[in-house]
Amino acid sequence: MSQISQTGTASFTAQETAGQTGTNDSFSSVDTDSFMKLLISELQNQDPLNPTDNAEMIQQISQIREIGATDQLTQTLSNLSNSQELVTASGLIGRTVQGLADDASPVDGVVDRITVETSEDNNSRSVKVHVGEKTMEIKNIREIQTG
């Protein structure tokens, strides 16, 4: 299955579908949509006298489910990580921290609040710790003291 052509201008190859990663035998970067396009193209262009056998079809459907499950697991773990970071930051309120502010200046003081900022560009989230007028990301904290 090195190349499957569809009528028209669309052409799919294993390397193209894998995202040009350089490894033809690894489909780890194939998303569900790409895999479905490849599967549909394969079904449309199969030899009517020698159709795909059921075992191969079941294997391909299983691969679709694995990709979907992996995507869902990745999203769940990302959400869990974000929640854990927020819980950790909220535990810092009232504690003395030392670290590096967003403007690269040193910060030493008591955390008075935390905020969560979402980037519109890549839809990422960052938890910010506020010490007086200075703001720093939680990952830039170097030391945490009690009281």
Side-chain angles (χ1 to χ4, degrees):
M1 181 168 88
S2 64
Q3 185 168 4
I4 298 173
S5 296
Q6 212 177 20
T7 56
T9 60
S11 172
F12 298 102
T13 64
Q15 189 174 11
E16 287 174 27
T17 308
Q20 299 290 345
T21 59
T23 57
N24 292 338
D25 58 356
S26 174
F27 288 96
S28 61
S29 65
V30 176
D31 64 349
T32 306
D33 291 336
S34 297
F35 189 84
M36 288 300 289
K37 287 177 184 176
L38 183 62
L39 182 61
I40 290 169
S41 295
E42 181 180 340
L43 289 173
Q44 288 174 343
N45 294 296
Q46 70 179 332
D47 182 2
L49 301 176
N50 186 16
T52 306
D53 71 3
N54 290 339
E56 189 175 330
M57 185 66 67
I58 290 172
Q59 181 184 13
Q60 290 175 349
I61 291 170
S62 171
Q63 289 172 343
I64 293 170
R65 287 185 177 163
E66 284 180 33
I67 291 170
T70 301
D71 287 345
Q72 187 176 11
L73 180 61
T74 300
Q75 183 65 35
T76 301
L77 289 175
S78 177
N79 290 342
L80 181 62
S81 174
N82 289 339
S83 297
Q84 183 61 38
E85 193 174 55
L86 186 59
V87 168
T88 300
S90 66
L92 294 176
I93 295 175
R95 298 184 108 181
T96 302
V97 296
Q98 291 179 356
L100 193 60
D102 290 343
D103 62 359
S105 63
V107 175
D108 186 2
V110 177
V111 175
D112 53 356
R113 66 188 173 102
I114 60 166
T115 57
V116 177
E117 295 180 9
T118 305
S119 170
E120 298 293 328
D121 298 335
N122 57 3
N123 203 21
S124 65
R125 231 175 73 139
S126 64
V127 177
K128 303 279 186 162
V129 176
H130 298 268
V131 177
E133 297 296 317
K134 298 283 186 169
T135 303
M136 70 177 137
E137 290 191 36
I138 192 169
K139 66 182 180 181
N140 290 335
I141 294 175
R142 304 286 187 253
E143 184 178 336
I144 302 170
Q145 302 168 1
T146 58

